[in-house]
Amino acid sequence: TTVPAVIGTTGPGSIWFAVGTVVMGVAALYFAVRGRRVETPRARGVHVVAALVPAVACGAYLAMALGVGVAEVAVRGGTLRLHWARYADWLFTTPLLLIGLGLFVGAERETLFGAVAADVFMIVTGVAATLSGVPAYRYVWWGISTVAFLCVLYFVVVALGQEARDRDAATWSTFASLRVLIGASWTAYPVWWLVGTGVGLVSPSVEAFGFTLLDTVAKVGFGLLVLHSPALAGSETPD
Ligand code: RET
Protein backbone atom coordinates (compact mmCIF):
# COMPACT_ATOMS: atom_id res chain seq x y z
CA THR A 1 0.00 0.00 0.00
CA THR A 2 1.19 3.50 -0.76
CA VAL A 3 0.86 6.15 1.87
CA PRO A 4 -0.62 9.26 0.25
CA ALA A 5 1.69 12.23 0.37
CA VAL A 6 0.64 14.86 2.84
CA ILE A 7 1.15 18.18 1.11
CA GLY A 8 0.05 20.43 3.94
CA THR A 9 -0.10 19.66 7.63
CA THR A 10 -0.97 21.12 11.01
CA GLY A 11 2.32 20.07 12.60
CA PRO A 12 5.22 21.89 10.91
CA GLY A 13 3.59 25.29 10.73
CA SER A 14 2.24 25.36 14.26
CA ILE A 15 5.08 27.40 15.70
CA TRP A 16 4.01 30.21 13.37
CA PHE A 17 0.39 29.83 14.48
CA ALA A 18 1.56 30.29 18.08
CA VAL A 19 3.69 33.29 17.10
CA GLY A 20 0.72 34.76 15.20
CA THR A 21 -1.56 34.31 18.22
CA VAL A 22 0.81 36.24 20.49
CA VAL A 23 1.68 39.01 17.98
CA MET A 24 -1.99 39.62 17.13
CA GLY A 25 -3.05 39.47 20.78
CA VAL A 26 -0.45 42.03 21.82
CA ALA A 27 -1.31 44.31 18.88
CA ALA A 28 -5.05 44.15 19.65
CA LEU A 29 -4.42 45.07 23.29
CA TYR A 30 -2.05 47.89 22.38
CA PHE A 31 -4.47 49.45 19.88
CA ALA A 32 -7.41 49.04 22.27
CA VAL A 33 -5.57 50.64 25.20
CA ARG A 34 -4.35 53.42 22.95
CA GLY A 35 -7.92 54.08 21.83
CA ARG A 36 -9.32 54.46 25.35
CA ARG A 37 -9.10 58.24 25.53
CA VAL A 38 -9.86 59.04 21.92
CA GLU A 39 -12.68 61.54 21.50
CA THR A 40 -13.53 62.38 17.91
CA PRO A 41 -15.83 59.95 16.05
CA ARG A 42 -13.29 59.64 13.24
CA ALA A 43 -10.37 58.69 15.50
CA ARG A 44 -12.62 56.41 17.55
CA GLY A 45 -13.81 54.53 14.48
CA VAL A 46 -10.27 54.08 13.18
CA HIS A 47 -9.08 52.81 16.60
CA VAL A 48 -11.93 50.31 16.88
CA VAL A 49 -11.13 48.89 13.46
CA ALA A 50 -7.36 48.87 14.09
CA ALA A 51 -7.91 46.88 17.32
CA LEU A 52 -10.62 44.56 15.96
CA VAL A 53 -8.52 43.35 13.03
CA PRO A 54 -5.71 41.78 15.11
CA ALA A 55 -8.30 40.61 17.69
CA VAL A 56 -10.08 38.55 15.02
CA ALA A 57 -6.73 37.28 13.75
CA CYS A 58 -5.64 36.32 17.28
CA GLY A 59 -8.68 34.03 17.49
CA ALA A 60 -8.01 32.55 14.05
CA TYR A 61 -4.34 31.90 14.87
CA LEU A 62 -5.27 30.30 18.18
CA ALA A 63 -7.72 28.02 16.34
CA MET A 64 -5.00 27.01 13.87
CA ALA A 65 -2.44 26.49 16.66
CA LEU A 66 -4.90 24.16 18.37
CA GLY A 67 -5.67 22.28 15.17
CA VAL A 68 -9.22 23.61 14.72
CA GLY A 69 -10.52 24.20 11.22
CA VAL A 70 -8.33 21.82 9.28
CA ALA A 71 -9.86 20.55 6.03
CA GLU A 72 -8.40 17.72 4.00
CA VAL A 73 -8.64 17.99 0.24
CA ALA A 74 -7.61 15.18 -2.12
CA VAL A 75 -5.58 16.83 -4.86
CA ARG A 76 -2.57 15.88 -6.99
CA GLY A 77 -2.75 12.29 -5.76
CA GLY A 78 -2.14 13.40 -2.21
CA THR A 79 -3.91 15.00 0.66
CA LEU A 80 -3.71 18.75 1.08
CA ARG A 81 -4.35 19.83 4.65
CA LEU A 82 -5.78 23.30 4.73
CA HIS A 83 -6.51 25.73 7.49
CA TRP A 84 -9.79 27.34 6.67
CA ALA A 85 -9.57 29.49 9.83
CA ARG A 86 -7.21 31.66 7.77
CA TYR A 87 -9.96 32.37 5.26
CA ALA A 88 -12.53 32.97 8.02
CA ASP A 89 -10.06 35.54 9.39
CA TRP A 90 -9.65 37.26 6.00
CA LEU A 91 -13.40 37.24 5.38
CA PHE A 92 -13.78 39.59 8.34
CA THR A 93 -10.45 41.41 8.52
CA THR A 94 -10.07 42.48 4.88
CA PRO A 95 -13.46 44.27 4.81
CA LEU A 96 -12.61 45.75 8.24
CA LEU A 97 -9.30 47.10 6.92
CA LEU A 98 -11.08 48.68 3.96
CA ILE A 99 -13.68 50.18 6.30
CA GLY A 100 -10.88 51.51 8.52
CA LEU A 101 -9.20 53.12 5.52
CA GLY A 102 -12.56 54.53 4.39
CA LEU A 103 -13.28 55.99 7.84
CA PHE A 104 -9.85 57.56 7.97
CA VAL A 105 -10.23 59.20 4.57
CA GLY A 106 -13.91 60.02 5.05
CA ALA A 107 -14.86 58.02 1.96
CA GLU A 108 -18.23 58.04 0.29
CA ARG A 109 -20.35 55.14 1.54
CA GLU A 110 -21.04 53.97 -2.03
CA THR A 111 -17.33 53.74 -2.91
CA LEU A 112 -16.66 51.76 0.25
CA PHE A 113 -19.59 49.43 -0.37
CA GLY A 114 -18.29 48.54 -3.83
CA ALA A 115 -14.85 47.78 -2.45
CA VAL A 116 -16.15 45.60 0.37
CA ALA A 117 -18.39 43.67 -2.04
CA ALA A 118 -15.46 42.96 -4.38
CA ASP A 119 -13.32 42.03 -1.39
CA VAL A 120 -15.81 39.49 0.01
CA PHE A 121 -16.16 37.99 -3.48
CA MET A 122 -12.34 37.76 -3.63
CA ILE A 123 -12.11 35.80 -0.36
CA VAL A 124 -15.05 33.49 -1.14
CA THR A 125 -13.67 32.57 -4.57
CA GLY A 126 -10.25 32.19 -2.90
CA VAL A 127 -11.85 29.56 -0.64
CA ALA A 128 -13.20 27.82 -3.76
CA ALA A 129 -9.65 27.83 -5.20
CA THR A 130 -8.29 26.37 -1.99
CA LEU A 131 -10.92 23.65 -1.49
CA SER A 132 -11.17 22.55 -5.12
CA GLY A 133 -9.81 19.06 -5.72
CA VAL A 134 -9.11 19.45 -9.44
CA PRO A 135 -5.80 21.29 -10.03
CA ALA A 136 -7.04 23.15 -13.12
CA TYR A 137 -10.14 24.38 -11.27
CA ARG A 138 -7.95 25.66 -8.44
CA TYR A 139 -6.22 28.00 -10.88
CA VAL A 140 -9.50 29.04 -12.51
CA TRP A 141 -10.84 30.12 -9.12
CA TRP A 142 -7.52 31.78 -8.34
CA GLY A 143 -7.90 33.79 -11.56
CA ILE A 144 -11.47 34.83 -10.71
CA SER A 145 -10.40 35.83 -7.21
CA THR A 146 -7.48 37.82 -8.61
CA VAL A 147 -9.81 39.78 -10.91
CA ALA A 148 -11.83 40.72 -7.82
CA PHE A 149 -8.59 41.66 -6.08
CA LEU A 150 -7.72 44.03 -8.93
CA CYS A 151 -11.11 45.71 -8.38
CA VAL A 152 -10.25 46.12 -4.68
CA LEU A 153 -6.89 47.61 -5.64
CA TYR A 154 -8.59 49.99 -8.06
CA PHE A 155 -10.77 51.18 -5.20
CA VAL A 156 -7.85 51.69 -2.82
CA VAL A 157 -5.48 53.33 -5.27
CA VAL A 158 -7.73 55.26 -7.67
CA ALA A 159 -11.22 55.82 -6.21
CA LEU A 160 -10.17 56.45 -2.62
CA GLY A 161 -7.11 58.30 -3.86
CA GLN A 162 -9.32 60.84 -5.59
CA GLU A 163 -11.30 61.38 -2.40
CA ALA A 164 -8.18 61.57 -0.20
CA ARG A 165 -6.65 64.25 -2.43
CA ASP A 166 -9.44 66.62 -1.41
CA ARG A 167 -8.67 66.22 2.31
CA ASP A 168 -6.06 68.02 4.43
CA ALA A 169 -2.33 67.50 3.81
CA ALA A 170 -1.83 65.24 6.86
CA THR A 171 -4.64 62.90 5.79
CA TRP A 172 -3.32 62.78 2.25
CA SER A 173 0.24 61.97 3.32
CA THR A 174 -0.82 59.13 5.67
CA PHE A 175 -3.16 57.85 2.98
CA ALA A 176 -0.26 57.80 0.49
CA SER A 177 1.76 55.58 2.88
CA LEU A 178 -1.21 53.31 3.60
CA ARG A 179 -1.79 52.90 -0.11
CA VAL A 180 1.76 51.66 -0.61
CA LEU A 181 1.51 49.34 2.41
CA ILE A 182 -1.79 47.86 1.21
CA GLY A 183 -0.79 47.70 -2.46
CA ALA A 184 2.43 45.83 -1.69
CA SER A 185 1.36 43.56 1.16
CA TRP A 186 -2.03 42.54 -0.26
CA THR A 187 -0.53 41.75 -3.69
CA ALA A 188 1.84 39.30 -2.01
CA TYR A 189 -1.09 37.10 -0.82
CA PRO A 190 -2.20 35.72 -4.22
CA VAL A 191 1.48 35.27 -5.16
CA TRP A 192 2.23 33.42 -1.94
CA TRP A 193 -0.94 31.34 -2.37
CA LEU A 194 0.39 30.24 -5.78
CA VAL A 195 3.83 29.42 -4.36
CA GLY A 196 2.57 27.60 -1.28
CA THR A 197 -1.03 26.42 -1.59
CA GLY A 198 -1.16 26.26 -5.40
CA VAL A 199 2.04 24.87 -6.85
CA GLY A 200 3.45 23.77 -3.50
CA LEU A 201 7.02 25.02 -4.04
CA VAL A 202 7.62 25.59 -0.34
CA SER A 203 7.06 23.39 2.70
CA PRO A 204 3.92 23.88 4.82
CA SER A 205 5.90 25.53 7.60
CA VAL A 206 7.48 28.04 5.20
CA GLU A 207 4.02 28.68 3.78
CA ALA A 208 2.67 29.28 7.30
CA PHE A 209 5.62 31.57 8.10
CA GLY A 210 4.97 33.62 4.96
CA PHE A 211 1.28 34.16 5.70
CA THR A 212 2.05 35.04 9.33
CA LEU A 213 4.56 37.63 8.16
CA LEU A 214 2.12 39.07 5.59
CA ASP A 215 -0.69 39.19 8.16
CA THR A 216 1.59 41.05 10.56
CA VAL A 217 2.53 43.67 7.96
CA ALA A 218 -1.02 44.05 6.60
CA LYS A 219 -2.78 44.18 9.98
CA VAL A 220 -0.33 45.52 12.58
CA GLY A 221 1.47 47.74 10.04
CA PHE A 222 -1.86 49.26 9.03
CA GLY A 223 -2.81 50.00 12.66
CA LEU A 224 0.56 51.52 13.54
CA LEU A 225 0.59 53.75 10.47
CA VAL A 226 -2.97 54.99 10.70
CA LEU A 227 -3.04 55.54 14.48
CA HIS A 228 0.19 57.51 14.42
CA SER A 229 -1.08 59.75 11.66
CA PRO A 230 -0.67 63.48 12.36
CA ALA A 231 -4.20 63.77 10.97
CA LEU A 232 -5.54 62.10 14.14
CA ALA A 233 -3.32 64.08 16.51
CA GLY A 234 -5.18 66.11 19.10
CA SER A 235 -8.18 63.80 19.15
CA GLU A 236 -7.45 62.53 22.69
CA THR A 237 -9.02 63.90 25.84
CA PRO A 238 -6.46 65.97 27.74
CA ASP A 239 -5.35 64.65 31.16
C1 RET B 1 -6.18 34.40 -2.22
C2 RET B 1 -6.10 33.24 -3.19
C3 RET B 1 -6.84 33.42 -4.43
C4 RET B 1 -6.42 34.68 -5.15
C5 RET B 1 -6.33 35.86 -4.28
C6 RET B 1 -6.18 35.77 -2.91
C7 RET B 1 -6.06 37.04 -2.17
C8 RET B 1 -5.97 37.23 -0.87
C9 RET B 1 -5.76 38.48 -0.22
C10 RET B 1 -5.73 38.45 1.12
C11 RET B 1 -5.49 39.53 1.98
C12 RET B 1 -5.45 39.33 3.26
C13 RET B 1 -5.17 40.32 4.25
C14 RET B 1 -5.22 39.93 5.52
C15 RET B 1 -4.80 40.71 6.61
O1 RET B 1 -5.46 41.32 7.31
C16 RET B 1 -7.43 34.24 -1.36
C17 RET B 1 -4.94 34.23 -1.35
C18 RET B 1 -6.39 37.20 -4.98
C19 RET B 1 -5.56 39.73 -0.97
C20 RET B 1 -4.81 41.70 3.89
Side-chain angles (χ1 to χ4, degrees):
T1 54
T2 49
V3 180
V6 175
I7 304 169
T9 158
T10 331
S14 32
I15 176 70
W16 299 115
F17 299 146
V19 169
T21 308
V22 174
V23 169
M24 295 303 168
V26 169
L29 271 179
Y30 170 66
F31 294 147
V33 168
R34 218 180 166 279
R36 257 175 335 149
R37 293 186 312 151
V38 164
E39 280 278 289
T40 66
R42 178 193 187 196
R44 214 184 280 161
V46 174
H47 268 90
V48 167
V49 170
L52 257 181
V53 166
V56 170
C58 178
Y61 273 100
L62 183 63
M64 291 190 282
L66 300 178
V68 180
V70 179
E72 299 205 335
V73 182
V75 62
R76 280 187 266 132
T79 306
L80 184 55
R81 263 199 226 160
L82 303 157
H83 302 273
W84 57 256
R86 208 183 271 304
Y87 297 85
D89 167 339
W90 297 345
L91 189 59
F92 291 101
T93 56
T94 52
L96 275 172
L97 286 167
L98 294 173
I99 291 168
L101 185 67
L103 285 175
F104 177 73
V105 168
E108 302 275 347
R109 200 169 298 202
E110 289 75 11
T111 324
L112 198 52
F113 181 79
V116 169
D119 179 275
V120 168
F121 185 76
M122 169 187 85
I123 300 298
V124 171
T125 50
V127 171
T130 309
L131 294 184
S132 184
V134 181
Y137 295 174
R138 295 171 69 80
Y139 297 118
V140 169
W141 283 118
W142 181 89
I144 294 171
S145 177
T146 299
V147 171
F149 173 58
L150 294 177
C151 297
V152 174
L153 266 191
Y154 168 84
F155 159 80
V156 170
V157 175
V158 181
L160 253 191
Q162 277 161 2
E163 293 181 20
R165 227 177 289 270
D166 298 334
R167 309 292 184 258
D168 56 292
T171 299
W172 166 253
S173 105
T174 303
F175 171 81
S177 309
L178 289 169
R179 184 164 76 167
V180 172
L181 178 90
I182 293 174
S185 66
W186 289 40
T187 302
Y189 282 85
V191 175
W192 195 241
W193 187 97
L194 269 189
V195 172
T197 320
V199 185
L201 288 179
V202 295
S203 71
S205 56
V206 173
E207 184 199 16
F209 164 74
F211 277 130
T212 308
L213 185 69
L214 287 180
D215 275 351
T216 305
V217 174
K219 294 174 160 88
V220 185
F222 172 88
L224 288 175
L225 254 178
V226 77
L227 297 186
H228 286 100
S229 168
L232 297 183
S235 53
E236 299 94 8
T237 3
D239 287 311

Short mmCIF file of all heavy atoms in Angstrom, two decimals, residues 53 87 90 93-94 97 122-123 126 142 145-146 149 186 189-190 193 215 218-219, ligand 1:
data_model
loop_
_atom_site.label_atom_id
_atom_site.label_comp_id
_atom_site.label_asym_id
_atom_site.label_seq_id
_atom_site.Cartn_x
_atom_site.Cartn_y
_atom_site.Cartn_z
N VAL A 53 -9.17 44.18 14.05
CA VAL A 53 -8.52 43.35 13.03
C VAL A 53 -7.55 42.34 13.66
O VAL A 53 -7.69 41.13 13.45
CB VAL A 53 -7.85 44.23 11.95
CG1 VAL A 53 -6.90 43.43 11.08
CG2 VAL A 53 -8.91 44.92 11.09
N TYR A 87 -9.03 31.71 6.18
CA TYR A 87 -9.96 32.37 5.26
C TYR A 87 -11.11 33.01 6.03
O TYR A 87 -11.64 34.05 5.63
CB TYR A 87 -10.45 31.36 4.21
CG TYR A 87 -9.29 30.88 3.37
CD1 TYR A 87 -8.49 29.80 3.79
CD2 TYR A 87 -8.93 31.54 2.20
CE1 TYR A 87 -7.39 29.40 3.06
CE2 TYR A 87 -7.83 31.15 1.46
CZ TYR A 87 -7.06 30.07 1.91
OH TYR A 87 -5.96 29.68 1.19
N TRP A 90 -9.67 36.28 7.10
CA TRP A 90 -9.65 37.26 6.00
C TRP A 90 -11.04 37.75 5.62
O TRP A 90 -11.20 38.90 5.21
CB TRP A 90 -8.97 36.66 4.76
CG TRP A 90 -7.53 36.31 4.97
CD1 TRP A 90 -6.72 36.70 6.00
CD2 TRP A 90 -6.72 35.47 4.13
NE1 TRP A 90 -5.47 36.17 5.84
CE2 TRP A 90 -5.44 35.41 4.72
CE3 TRP A 90 -6.97 34.77 2.95
CZ2 TRP A 90 -4.40 34.67 4.15
CZ3 TRP A 90 -5.94 34.04 2.38
CH2 TRP A 90 -4.67 34.00 2.98
N THR A 93 -11.46 40.35 8.35
CA THR A 93 -10.45 41.41 8.52
C THR A 93 -10.21 42.23 7.26
O THR A 93 -9.92 43.42 7.38
CB THR A 93 -9.12 40.83 9.03
OG1 THR A 93 -8.66 39.81 8.15
CG2 THR A 93 -9.25 40.28 10.43
N THR A 94 -10.32 41.64 6.07
CA THR A 94 -10.07 42.48 4.88
C THR A 94 -11.17 43.53 4.70
O THR A 94 -10.84 44.70 4.47
CB THR A 94 -9.83 41.65 3.60
OG1 THR A 94 -10.89 40.72 3.43
CG2 THR A 94 -8.52 40.88 3.66
N LEU A 97 -10.41 46.22 7.29
CA LEU A 97 -9.30 47.10 6.92
C LEU A 97 -9.76 48.14 5.91
O LEU A 97 -9.39 49.32 6.00
CB LEU A 97 -8.13 46.28 6.36
CG LEU A 97 -7.34 45.47 7.39
CD1 LEU A 97 -6.44 44.45 6.72
CD2 LEU A 97 -6.51 46.41 8.28
N MET A 122 -13.74 38.22 -3.49
CA MET A 122 -12.34 37.76 -3.63
C MET A 122 -12.03 36.64 -2.63
O MET A 122 -11.44 35.62 -3.00
CB MET A 122 -11.40 38.95 -3.40
CG MET A 122 -9.93 38.58 -3.27
SD MET A 122 -8.92 40.01 -2.80
CE MET A 122 -9.11 40.00 -1.01
N ILE A 123 -12.43 36.81 -1.38
CA ILE A 123 -12.11 35.80 -0.36
C ILE A 123 -12.92 34.52 -0.61
O ILE A 123 -12.38 33.41 -0.53
CB ILE A 123 -12.37 36.34 1.07
CG1 ILE A 123 -11.49 37.57 1.36
CG2 ILE A 123 -12.11 35.24 2.11
CD1 ILE A 123 -9.99 37.33 1.31
N GLY A 126 -11.54 32.71 -3.36
CA GLY A 126 -10.25 32.19 -2.90
C GLY A 126 -10.43 30.89 -2.12
O GLY A 126 -9.62 29.97 -2.22
N TRP A 142 -8.57 30.81 -8.69
CA TRP A 142 -7.52 31.78 -8.34
C TRP A 142 -7.61 32.99 -9.27
O TRP A 142 -7.51 34.15 -8.83
CB TRP A 142 -6.14 31.11 -8.43
CG TRP A 142 -5.02 32.03 -8.06
CD1 TRP A 142 -4.49 32.22 -6.83
CD2 TRP A 142 -4.30 32.91 -8.96
NE1 TRP A 142 -3.48 33.16 -6.89
CE2 TRP A 142 -3.35 33.59 -8.17
CE3 TRP A 142 -4.37 33.17 -10.33
CZ2 TRP A 142 -2.47 34.53 -8.72
CZ3 TRP A 142 -3.52 34.11 -10.88
CH2 TRP A 142 -2.56 34.77 -10.08
N SER A 145 -10.67 35.09 -8.45
CA SER A 145 -10.40 35.83 -7.21
C SER A 145 -9.44 36.99 -7.45
O SER A 145 -9.60 38.08 -6.87
CB SER A 145 -9.83 34.85 -6.17
OG SER A 145 -9.50 35.51 -4.98
N THR A 146 -8.47 36.77 -8.32
CA THR A 146 -7.48 37.82 -8.61
C THR A 146 -8.11 38.99 -9.37
O THR A 146 -7.73 40.14 -9.15
CB THR A 146 -6.28 37.22 -9.37
OG1 THR A 146 -5.69 36.23 -8.52
CG2 THR A 146 -5.25 38.27 -9.72
N PHE A 149 -9.65 40.95 -6.81
CA PHE A 149 -8.59 41.66 -6.08
C PHE A 149 -8.18 42.93 -6.82
O PHE A 149 -7.96 43.98 -6.22
CB PHE A 149 -7.39 40.73 -5.87
CG PHE A 149 -6.19 41.43 -5.29
CD1 PHE A 149 -6.27 42.07 -4.08
CD2 PHE A 149 -4.98 41.44 -5.97
CE1 PHE A 149 -5.17 42.73 -3.53
CE2 PHE A 149 -3.87 42.09 -5.44
CZ PHE A 149 -3.97 42.74 -4.22
N TRP A 186 -0.89 43.33 0.23
CA TRP A 186 -2.03 42.54 -0.26
C TRP A 186 -1.68 41.78 -1.54
O TRP A 186 -2.11 40.66 -1.75
CB TRP A 186 -3.27 43.41 -0.49
CG TRP A 186 -3.94 43.91 0.77
CD1 TRP A 186 -3.31 44.35 1.90
CD2 TRP A 186 -5.35 44.00 1.03
NE1 TRP A 186 -4.25 44.73 2.83
CE2 TRP A 186 -5.50 44.54 2.34
CE3 TRP A 186 -6.49 43.71 0.28
CZ2 TRP A 186 -6.76 44.76 2.90
CZ3 TRP A 186 -7.75 43.94 0.84
CH2 TRP A 186 -7.87 44.46 2.14
N TYR A 189 -0.25 38.27 -1.20
CA TYR A 189 -1.09 37.10 -0.82
C TYR A 189 -1.37 36.16 -1.98
O TYR A 189 -1.12 34.96 -1.85
CB TYR A 189 -2.41 37.56 -0.18
CG TYR A 189 -2.29 38.01 1.26
CD1 TYR A 189 -1.91 39.31 1.59
CD2 TYR A 189 -2.55 37.14 2.31
CE1 TYR A 189 -1.81 39.73 2.91
CE2 TYR A 189 -2.46 37.55 3.64
CZ TYR A 189 -2.08 38.85 3.93
OH TYR A 189 -1.99 39.26 5.24
N PRO A 190 -1.95 36.66 -3.11
CA PRO A 190 -2.20 35.72 -4.22
C PRO A 190 -0.91 35.09 -4.75
O PRO A 190 -0.93 33.94 -5.19
CB PRO A 190 -2.89 36.58 -5.28
CG PRO A 190 -2.74 37.99 -4.85
CD PRO A 190 -2.52 37.98 -3.38
N TRP A 193 0.02 32.45 -2.23
CA TRP A 193 -0.94 31.34 -2.37
C TRP A 193 -0.48 30.42 -3.51
O TRP A 193 -0.47 29.20 -3.37
CB TRP A 193 -2.35 31.88 -2.66
CG TRP A 193 -3.43 30.81 -2.65
CD1 TRP A 193 -4.26 30.49 -1.62
CD2 TRP A 193 -3.78 29.93 -3.74
NE1 TRP A 193 -5.10 29.47 -1.99
CE2 TRP A 193 -4.83 29.10 -3.27
CE3 TRP A 193 -3.32 29.75 -5.05
CZ2 TRP A 193 -5.44 28.11 -4.08
CZ3 TRP A 193 -3.90 28.77 -5.84
CH2 TRP A 193 -4.95 27.96 -5.36
N ASP A 215 0.40 38.74 7.27
CA ASP A 215 -0.69 39.19 8.16
C ASP A 215 -0.19 40.25 9.14
O ASP A 215 -0.91 41.19 9.46
CB ASP A 215 -1.25 38.00 8.95
CG ASP A 215 -2.32 37.22 8.18
OD1 ASP A 215 -2.74 37.71 7.11
OD2 ASP A 215 -2.73 36.15 8.65
N ALA A 218 0.25 43.50 7.07
CA ALA A 218 -1.02 44.05 6.60
C ALA A 218 -1.92 44.52 7.74
O ALA A 218 -2.66 45.49 7.59
CB ALA A 218 -1.76 43.01 5.74
N LYS A 219 -1.87 43.83 8.88
CA LYS A 219 -2.78 44.18 9.98
C LYS A 219 -2.12 45.13 10.98
O LYS A 219 -2.65 46.20 11.28
CB LYS A 219 -3.22 42.91 10.72
CG LYS A 219 -4.06 41.96 9.89
CD LYS A 219 -4.31 40.68 10.68
CE LYS A 219 -5.50 39.91 10.15
NZ LYS A 219 -5.14 38.97 9.08
C1 RET B 1 -6.18 34.40 -2.22
C2 RET B 1 -6.10 33.24 -3.19
C3 RET B 1 -6.84 33.42 -4.43
C4 RET B 1 -6.42 34.68 -5.15
C5 RET B 1 -6.33 35.86 -4.28
C6 RET B 1 -6.18 35.77 -2.91
C7 RET B 1 -6.06 37.04 -2.17
C8 RET B 1 -5.97 37.23 -0.87
C9 RET B 1 -5.76 38.48 -0.22
C10 RET B 1 -5.73 38.45 1.12
C11 RET B 1 -5.49 39.53 1.98
C12 RET B 1 -5.45 39.33 3.26
C13 RET B 1 -5.17 40.32 4.25
C14 RET B 1 -5.22 39.93 5.52
C15 RET B 1 -4.80 40.71 6.61
O1 RET B 1 -5.46 41.32 7.31
C16 RET B 1 -7.43 34.24 -1.36
C17 RET B 1 -4.94 34.23 -1.35
C18 RET B 1 -6.39 37.20 -4.98
C19 RET B 1 -5.56 39.73 -0.97
C20 RET B 1 -4.81 41.70 3.89
#
